[in-house]
Amino acid sequence: MKTTARVLAMVPVLGVCLVAATPAQAAPTPIVASSTVTVDVREAAVSLGPWPVLRRGPNSVWPAVTVRSLQYLLNAHGARITVDGVFGSATEAAVRAYQRTHGLVVDGVVGNATWSSVVVTVRRGSTGSAVRALQDQINHRNLEGANYLAVDGVFGPRTETWVRGFQTAMSASLPFAVDGVVGPRTWRALVVGWLAG
């Protein structure tokens, strides 16, 4: 799946410009956000696009940061795999183990059910591998080419400021809470590639 860039908003967030990139086949229809808009959650999820489908082998449709996010999130649930952006045998084994222990279909394929289960809600004060996944996603969106944040697993004020900027940029096209909390909806926007240049 190729991505196509659509400028939703150019929001400088501490040196990082956010530019929308959405899958070419699933370009969401912009929805004007306001405090009075009521949107069916299923409709809003569709507008974000489907979760990536990842499996062992090349996942060239998605950038390496997508596989790294999965690996970090699996580690947040107790896996001990190397975060390298390559969906190899160790990642597949960790996916299968996770699926088995969480009552999911054990096929080693990461689709909607597995992504929805593996994401970890993080906020200021959170620490660990899920925060590393978030920080890696933030650095992936840095158009200046250098890492914006240390991928240290500490959700501090700079991480929160970036998250709020991301959510503000997302709310220009979709109903999106600007709360600094990275829950399922913000994770989905990050993982599917929104605002990645």
Side-chain angles (χ1 to χ4, degrees), residues 1 12 18 21 34 40 47 50 61 85 107 115 132 143 151 162 166 177 180 193 197:
M1 179 183 307
L18 303 174
S34 78
D40 184 302
S47 297
V61 170
D107 58 5
W115 276 115
R132 286 185 183 89
L143 301 178
V151 180
W162 189 93
F166 177 81

Side-chain angles (χ1 to χ4, degrees), residues 137-159:
Q137 284 283 345
I138 290 169
N139 288 339
H140 175 68
R141 286 163 173 77
N142 187 354
L143 301 178
E144 295 176 6
N147 284 348
Y148 170 69
L149 291 172
V151 180
D152 60 5
V154 177
F155 197 132
R158 289 182 71 202
T159 302

Side-chain angles (χ1 to χ4, degrees), residues 36-160:
T36 60
V37 173
T38 303
V39 175
D40 184 302
V41 173
R42 290 168 302 200
E43 177 187 337
V46 170
S47 297
L48 288 172
W51 287 99
V53 176
L54 302 176
R55 58 179 44 90
R56 185 174 179 180
N59 287 279
S60 57
V61 170
W62 298 100
V65 71
T66 307
V67 176
R68 289 195 308 267
S69 289
L70 170 65
Q71 292 168 327
Y72 278 123
L73 290 167
L74 288 167
N75 285 344
H77 287 281
R80 301 280 183 250
I81 55 176
T82 301
V83 177
D84 58 7
V86 176
F87 198 129
S89 58
T91 300
E92 181 183 33
V95 168
R96 287 179 180 275
Y98 179 86
Q99 290 171 328
R100 188 173 303 108
T101 60
H102 289 83
L104 301 167
V105 173
V106 181
D107 58 5
V109 176
V110 181
N112 287 331
T114 302
W115 276 115
S116 296
S117 176
V118 79
V119 295
V120 175
T121 297
V122 293
R123 59 182 47 86
R124 189 166 179 177
S126 297
T127 59
S129 290
V131 177
R132 286 185 183 89
L134 168 62
Q135 292 167 330
D136 192 26
Q137 284 283 345
I138 290 169
N139 288 339
H140 175 68
R141 286 163 173 77
N142 187 354
L143 301 178
E144 295 176 6
N147 284 348
Y148 170 69
L149 291 172
V151 180
D152 60 5
V154 177
F155 197 132
R158 289 182 71 202
T159 302
E160 181 181 24

